[in-house]
Amino acid sequence: MSGINQFDNILPVARLKIAALDSCLDFAAKVDQYLVNFRRKANTQHRDNIHFQEYAQDSYLVKCSCPRFGTGEAKGRYEESVRGSDLFIMVDVCNYSLTYTVCGHLNHMSPDDHFQDLKRMISAATGKAHRINVVIPFLYEGRQHRRTNRESLDCAIALQELQNMGVSNIITFDAHDPRVQNAIPLSGFDNFQPPYQFIKALLRAEPDLKVDNEHLMIISPDEGAMERAVYFSNVLGIDLGMFYKRRDYSTVVNGKNPIVAHEFLGDSLEGKDVIIIDDMISSGGSMLDVAKQMKERGAKNVYICCTFGLFTDGLAMFDEYYEKGYITRVVTTNLNYRPAELLEKPYYLEADMTKFMATIIDTLNHDTPVGRINDPTKKIRKMIAKHSI
């Protein structure tokens, strides 16, 4: 979707402003440039109308910051007015590269620190902005979405905090469990998916990839990823296989029950390429184990597609598995921070989400339905048909 001229004769909710925290400045700058290009050619016939006076700008980014005191405490500050604006606050809670000093000691920012800064920026704008929207691609505490025994419900509490602070819409991507939005049933919660960007990046890098039942299969690494895998399977018109994890529920390691074994359900993989779909790569251990078992079952090439590449235990295992031929490509989006080392790896592919994000923001600012931009089925099938020629 180009984003150009689709909103002709449609009034925006209010003038658009984007407050990007330090955690996502580079990403936000690319999104901003797309928005500038979108609006340069849209609604040109209304430029004399008072409602469109600030429609086309050289930039929609607002200067803002969260300076810290020597104790590690901080405050949110806007360096220009956001009064009456449709404000989109962007944050990457996974950006561990940022640091701050506490009484002379260096600390890396955690998701908790980023979320607190997000609330500071909301607080600084409350009562001034016409509407506040939060763009939080990796949903804060999204993995702690349900209660097992005596546990906290961190994600639900965080969403309720944002609602109580006056946030109208929350925009996230590939939430670990989108049902967590039930915690805020009266607020806007949009959960977007990146399948089109995955397929686009993969086909560009692998022009010889054959998308048919004889040569390709979609794999769900566990039961939690089945919905994503089923969608890919149906859109691409190819078979689906699934692994399920046998866990040792008698012990807990790093907050999780350790995986005893992966069991596979599906047709023969002999000579086929496989695409493994999931929402995130954390340490990557279970994903790599699945990839290895794919190869041992006769798979030709193993492509891993995950929305968020966190790589919490580093890249050494991925390097090893690539050298051994267990994996061919690892595709993740640029929605979260990735170290420069990863971007240089021969197996890594980036699914660029900046244009899609700009289209989402533009759509919400015009208060029009997001359904058509969140359903890429036609675009994927068109791309596959072109690729197959």
Side-chain angles (χ1 to χ4, degrees):
M1 181 173 293
S2 65
I4 297 175
N5 296 330
Q6 60 176 316
F7 300 121
D8 272 354
N9 301 315
I10 299 177
L11 278 171
V13 171
R15 67 179 185 273
L16 177 63
K17 295 284 186 181
I18 300 174
L21 276 70
D22 289 347
S23 57
C24 58
L25 284 177
D26 292 340
F27 182 83
K30 294 177 182 178
V31 172
D32 179 55
Q33 193 55 55
Y34 273 115
L35 285 165
V36 170
N37 294 336
F38 288 173
R39 297 194 171 197
R40 189 171 288 147
K41 299 179 181 180
N43 281 306
T44 54
Q45 71 274 27
H46 297 304
R47 295 299 159 82
D48 294 332
N49 187 318
I50 188 172
H51 298 293
F52 288 92
Q53 280 185 350
E54 297 183 53
Y55 189 77
Q57 298 288 318
D58 293 331
S59 176
Y60 299 94
L61 292 173
V62 177
K63 293 182 179 179
C64 60
S65 60
C66 286
R68 291 187 178 270
F69 303 100
T71 57
E73 298 167 292
K75 61 182 177 182
R77 181 173 64 190
Y78 291 97
E79 297 179 25
E80 57 186 275
S81 175
V82 295
R83 188 176 296 279
S85 65
D86 190 19
L87 182 63
F88 288 79
I89 306 176
M90 298 177 65
V91 62
D92 173 14
V93 298
C94 295
N95 192 338
Y96 59 87
S97 70
L98 301 182
T99 59
Y100 64 96
T101 304
V102 180
C103 299
H105 299 281
L106 192 66
N107 272 11
H108 283 265
M109 289 191 69
S110 70
D112 292 345
D113 292 319
H114 288 299
F115 187 68
Q116 196 65 30
D117 280 355
L118 169 63
K119 292 193 292 182
R120 291 182 175 110
M121 298 314 303
I122 294 170
S123 175
T126 301
K128 303 172 183 64
H130 176 76
R131 185 175 71 172
I132 297 176
N133 313 273
V134 166
V135 179
I136 182 167
F138 185 93
L139 187 61
Y140 174 71
E141 291 290 1
R143 299 172 77 182
Q144 188 54 30
H145 58 93
R146 63 181 179 180
R147 174 175 284 157
T148 303
N149 296 324
R150 293 178 289 275
E151 293 181 342
S152 56
L153 286 169
D154 297 67
C155 191
I157 292 172
L159 292 176
Q160 290 177 355
E161 276 190 278
L162 296 180
Q163 180 187 55
N164 293 336
M165 293 185 76
V167 172
S168 299
N169 296 305
I170 296 169
I171 299 100
T172 192
F173 285 80
D174 210 349
H176 195 63
D177 187 345
R179 291 175 298 181
V180 75
Q181 66 185 288
N182 292 336
I184 50 167
L186 301 181
S187 289
F189 184 98
D190 290 301
N191 179 45
F192 294 93
Q193 304 287 340
Y196 174 74
Q197 288 77 12
F198 280 155
I199 299 299
K200 184 178 180 180
L202 197 54
L203 293 184
R204 280 184 174 180
E206 301 288 341
D208 296 329
L209 184 65
K210 296 181 179 179
V211 185
D212 58 49
N213 249 336
E214 300 297 320
H215 301 92
L216 187 64
M217 182 182 284
I218 298 294
I219 301 296
S220 173
D222 55 38
E223 54 274 27
M226 272 300 291
E227 186 175 349
R228 301 176 188 88
V230 167
Y231 175 78
F232 267 81
S233 174
N234 288 336
V235 171
L236 300 181
I238 58 180
D239 287 338
L240 171 68
M242 187 195 83
F243 273 88
Y244 70 92
K245 300 172 182 176
R246 286 201 292 116
R247 295 181 179 271
D248 180 3
Y249 289 98
S250 64
T251 59
V252 176
V253 179
N254 295 328
K256 301 181 294 183
N257 301 110
I259 298 169
V260 176
H262 286 96
E263 304 290 349
F264 179 65
L265 300 173
D267 290 337
S268 171
L269 299 171
E270 193 67 37
K272 290 186 179 181
D273 295 326
V274 298
I275 300 176
I276 305 175
I277 300 290
D278 209 352
D279 60 334
M280 73 178 75
I281 295 173
S282 185
S283 65
S286 61
M287 183 67 72
L288 290 174
D289 185 38
V290 168
K292 181 180 178 182
Q293 293 198 42
M294 294 284 94
K295 292 294 288 186
E296 291 173 349
R297 284 173 166 80
K300 183 180 177 184
N301 291 296
V302 177
Y303 305 105
I304 297 173
C305 292
C306 289
T307 307
F308 302 102
L310 306 180
F311 302 100
T312 56
D313 287 353
L315 301 171
M317 281 189 66
F318 284 85
D319 293 343
E320 177 187 343
Y321 275 55
Y322 174 70
E323 290 168 3
K324 290 181 177 179
Y326 294 143
I327 59 174
T328 303
R329 296 283 189 180
V330 176
V331 188
T332 75
T333 70
N334 55 346
L335 289 168
N336 64 286
Y337 169 77
R338 293 145 304 135
E341 178 189 3
L342 172 65
L343 306 183
E344 297 171 357
K345 297 297 182 182
Y347 53 80
Y348 179 71
L349 289 178
E350 176 186 279
D352 185 16
M353 301 295 290
T354 52
K355 187 175 183 180
F356 188 30
M357 179 70 81
T359 304
I360 292 168
I361 291 174
D362 210 18
T363 301
L364 291 175
N365 180 240
H366 287 89
D367 214 14
T368 54
V370 298
R372 57 196 176 94
I373 64 173
N374 201 23
D375 183 11
T377 302
K378 290 182 180 178
K379 290 175 66 178
I380 293 175
R381 286 180 173 164
K382 183 179 179 180
M383 181 170 52
I384 295 298
K386 185 177 179 181
H387 174 78
S388 300
I389 296 175

